[in-house]
Amino acid sequence: MASLKDLRTRISSVKATQKITKAMQMVAAAKLRRAQMAAEAARPYAERMSAVLANVAGGMAGGGPALLAGNGKDQVHLLVVCTAERGLCGAFNSSIVRLAREHIHRLQGQGKTVKIICVGKKGYDQLRRQFSSQIIDLIDLRAVRQLSFGDADAIARKIIARFAEGEFDVATLFFSRFRSVIAQIPTAQQVIPAQIEGGAATSASYEYEPGEDEILETLLPRNISVQVFRALLENAASEQGARMSSMDNATRNAGEMIRKQTIVYNRTRQAQITKELIEIISGAEAL
Amino acid sequence: MAAFHFELVSPEKLLFSGDVESVVVPGSDGQFTVMKDHAPVMTTMRPGVVDVNESGSKALRLFVRGGFADVSASGLTILAEQAIPLEQLNAEDIAREIGNAEEDVSDASTDDARNAAQERLDQLRELRAALGI
């Protein structure tokens, strides 16, 4: 049986924890709003970009640059796994990693080679245990406060440079799509060769300046940057959403614990008073 | 004058969406003005100034750092790498851009890349001279 003092310290420590989780929840809620706004603001560009790309690529019958058509091989796969830099956000990181791991096992089962680039430390920590030899790069975004297009562009450039050197044939992005505060969907998206949505919408006689190939050559790397940017923004919103709901759970749990502990504390206190009274009365009777 | 739909988007946000009378686009092969019923064109842009003429006398000028312009039946869409309204642009921004471009020139490993970077640098210097800041 714990003494009264033990119970008191236990309750106060749970209360302190509850204060922390409550604060984290509120911070996550504020950050979520900002992240959601950023994700929404970036949407028009991504939409126009894919529309324009579909337009241009629709005109090219097959062929085209390697970024669009692939390099004809399907042997080496690059997985870009985007996760958070921080933990304490429920199953957010592990669900992305789980999806990536399933993907890796499937590819390895087919006899393909797998290479991994980790964006975010948490994914690296989890993947390192099993696939340390396959991880070729870790991109750390911890110093970044507000995600800008430049950050995504830098990542995309790295990926394209590796592709140009023939290090891999197919690239896939792993991130978590933000559906709502309680639903984040881990998603895999292929970026090289580019996946064109919609196909040829208008085959109107377009004029190209300078030329179709030159435009496509600048458009495709740009498209990859946009995809990476979108993935990172969705991820940021998902992370805050996941943290918010898991911290909400933690706060509620702590409340429940405090309630139970307080009952035990009160019972123990009453029992002790009763015991002392009995001692006094029986002492008086003995006289 | 008839108006057409114009949209200017940068990766971070939608900067302008609405009906305008004419837009001057700094295409990589030369500046051109888009008005209603322009023939469909797809072009890359060099760093320069986009001049938007809204109906009436309102005008909007923005600095863009390259990107794409797409003229189709539905109107004009500019996908800018970065866009800053001219009144918010200051000498520092331009100086930084030029500094970056200079770095690109010295970092370029192939002749093609060096030419591209040099061209960009020249365009930026030209722009600075034209704006007089």
Side-chain angles (χ1 to χ4, degrees), chain A:
Chain A
M1 189 77 195
S3 78
L4 278 180
K5 190 163 182 298
D6 288 343
L7 281 168
R8 254 198 316 267
T9 40
R10 203 175 297 164
I11 291 172
S12 71
S13 98
V14 177
K15 271 187 181 156
T17 312
Q18 192 190 28
K19 268 183 202 149
I20 293 169
T21 58
K22 181 97 192 162
M24 279 183 80
Q25 187 210 338
M26 288 197 288
V27 170
K31 281 191 178 163
L32 170 69
R33 198 152 1 104
R34 225 177 313 141
Q36 236 176 322
M37 259 156 53
E40 257 157 45
R43 210 162 285 159
Y45 189 86
E47 275 168 13
R48 302 296 185 292
M49 184 59 124
S50 56
V52 168
L53 194 62
N55 247 344
V56 181
M60 312 271 292
L67 284 177
L68 178 65
N71 55 6
K73 284 183 289 182
D74 182 28
Q75 184 53 40
V76 186
H77 283 248
L78 176 76
L79 275 60
V80 184
V81 184
C82 309
T83 52
E85 295 290 354
R86 289 178 187 86
L88 285 179
C89 45
F92 172 75
N93 288 315
S94 23
S95 60
I96 298 174
V97 169
R98 193 185 319 123
L99 182 73
R101 199 178 288 138
E102 281 165 11
H103 209 81
I104 295 167
H105 284 312
R106 201 173 55 240
L107 287 171
Q108 283 178 336
Q110 291 165 1
K112 313 257 199 238
T113 317
V114 174
K115 289 178 178 176
I116 306 169
I117 291 182
C118 291
V119 181
K121 190 170 138 289
K122 285 288 156 186
Y124 173 70
D125 287 344
Q126 291 189 26
L127 285 169
R128 184 174 50 177
R129 279 176 235 145
Q130 221 176 332
F131 307 105
S132 63
S133 56
Q134 274 99 326
I135 296 176
I136 48 174
D137 203 356
L138 164 67
I139 295 160
D140 198 331
L141 292 176
R142 230 175 317 171
V144 177
R145 308 218 77 184
Q146 182 76 40
L147 207 57
S148 77
F149 187 71
D151 302 318
D153 205 34
I155 296 173
R157 264 170 224 269
K158 275 190 194 172
I159 297 173
I160 293 166
R162 286 180 189 275
F163 182 69
E165 278 164 27
E167 281 191 37
F168 63 92
D169 306 318
V170 178
T172 314
L173 271 180
F174 285 84
F175 64 99
S176 192
R177 199 182 290 274
F178 182 80
R179 171 72 68 75
S180 71
V181 178
I182 41 167
Q184 297 90 29
I185 307 144
T187 312
Q189 188 180 19
Q190 187 181 319
V191 288
I192 300 177
Q195 299 242 302
I196 307 295
E197 296 155 27
T202 50
S203 51
S205 56
Y206 252 89
E207 237 178 80
Y208 295 97
E209 258 184 54
E212 211 164 320
D213 297 338
E214 284 91 338
I215 288 190
L216 216 47
E217 239 160 64
T218 35
L219 198 55
L220 285 167
R222 211 89 203 114
N223 181 48
I224 292 171
S225 308
V226 170
Q227 304 272 16
V228 173
F229 188 47
R230 201 180 67 111
L232 291 180
L233 285 175
E234 292 265 345
N235 236 11
S238 298
E239 180 197 342
Q240 299 305 341
R243 176 164 302 127
M244 199 178 120
S245 56
S246 73
M247 283 303 119
D248 185 41
N249 274 340
T251 310
R252 235 173 308 136
N253 250 341
E256 180 75 1
M257 217 173 200
I258 291 170
R259 202 178 60 83
K260 279 190 188 148
Q261 295 281 357
T262 312
I263 290 173
V264 175
Y265 172 74
N266 285 342
R267 287 231 176 97
T268 320
R269 192 172 58 91
Q270 279 162 359
Q272 202 175 340
I273 292 167
T274 318
K275 204 178 83 192
E276 275 170 15
L277 275 177
I278 291 171
E279 273 167 10
I280 292 166
I281 293 165
S282 45
E285 267 172 9
L287 282 175

